Amino acid sequence: MYLPPAFRQDDITEIHATMRAARLCNFVTATSEGLMATPLPPIIDDKEGERGVLYGHVARANPQWKTAPIGEAMALFTGPDAYVTPSWYATKRETGKVVPTWNYSAVHAYGPVEFFEDADRLLAIVTRLTTLHETPRAQPWAVSDAPEDFIKAQLRGIVGFRMPITRLEGKLKMSQNRTAEDRAGVAAGLASSDRPSDRVVAGMIPE
């Protein structure tokens, strides 16, 4: 990922927070048959390794896990994004030398991938993933709420993966390269948008 200094994120805690907030990633492997990608919700375990480890699962019928990866795998996380019109810049009124752009947040994680079929490891992963997303609910559902035989049958339909993160690239492009006046204009413009995602980005523009 192209990382100009103004937009580069180096704080690993902030990068992990961006990954968790995105919730879904695109899990990509290069293979002899070309690139393969699967959208999936991973677990980010920051207690393992220097940069953390990703855990997740794919459908057993998904050919991605059966096709040997070439080199490292890649997980792409996308955060809030918004179109930025030059009309919001103070610079437009001053010089007219402005163009449209896009503000966004993104993280690319890289690492070797291990696929596994062990039922106990799979159960641990789906239990952790379920707990992660069910805990905020008033009445959380648990894997143990379903019949044990049913869960065992469901586990036979998936394959797990573990990806130790060897490299992390974080990018937060939120008009940091513009003047304070331009940033204020962008924040105000996005805050008045009908799009909820635009209003989220508005709150991320630095003063």
Side-chain angles (χ1 to χ4, degrees), residues 103-175:
N103 278 355
Y104 59 90
S105 174
V107 171
H108 293 179
Y110 306 82
V113 61
E114 167 207 359
F115 291 103
F116 59 86
E117 303 175 68
D118 180 78
D120 290 337
R121 292 180 73 185
L122 286 170
L123 179 60
I125 284 179
V126 298
T127 299
R128 289 175 66 185
L129 189 61
T130 300
T131 301
L132 174 66
H133 295 292
E134 286 284 339
T135 296
R137 302 185 69 249
Q139 295 181 312
W141 181 86
V143 172
S144 57
D145 290 345
E148 185 176 348
D149 289 347
F150 172 76
I151 294 299
K152 286 181 178 178
Q154 293 296 300
L155 292 176
R156 288 195 288 271
I158 62 175
V159 173
F161 73 82
R162 178 179 184 271
M163 190 187 101
I165 300 172
T166 59
R167 182 161 49 107
L168 275 173
E169 295 173 341
K171 187 172 184 178
L172 185 69
K173 182 178 180 294
M174 293 291 164
S175 301

Side-chain angles (χ1 to χ4, degrees), residues 11-70:
D11 188 294
I12 194 166
T13 301
E14 292 179 0
I15 292 174
H16 283 163
T18 299
M19 296 162 72
R20 291 192 175 97
R23 305 206 298 176
L24 194 76
C25 76
N26 279 294
F27 178 69
V28 183
T29 51
T31 76
S32 60
E33 298 179 19
L35 292 174
M36 293 187 174
T38 300
L40 55 82
I43 298 167
I44 299 104
D45 191 332
D46 58 12
K47 302 294 190 296
E48 288 190 57
E50 183 181 350
R51 299 173 184 84
V53 174
L54 294 184
Y55 288 96
H57 64 274
V58 298
R60 181 173 290 277
N62 186 334
Q64 186 174 14
W65 76 273
K66 300 177 184 178
T67 311
I70 299 172

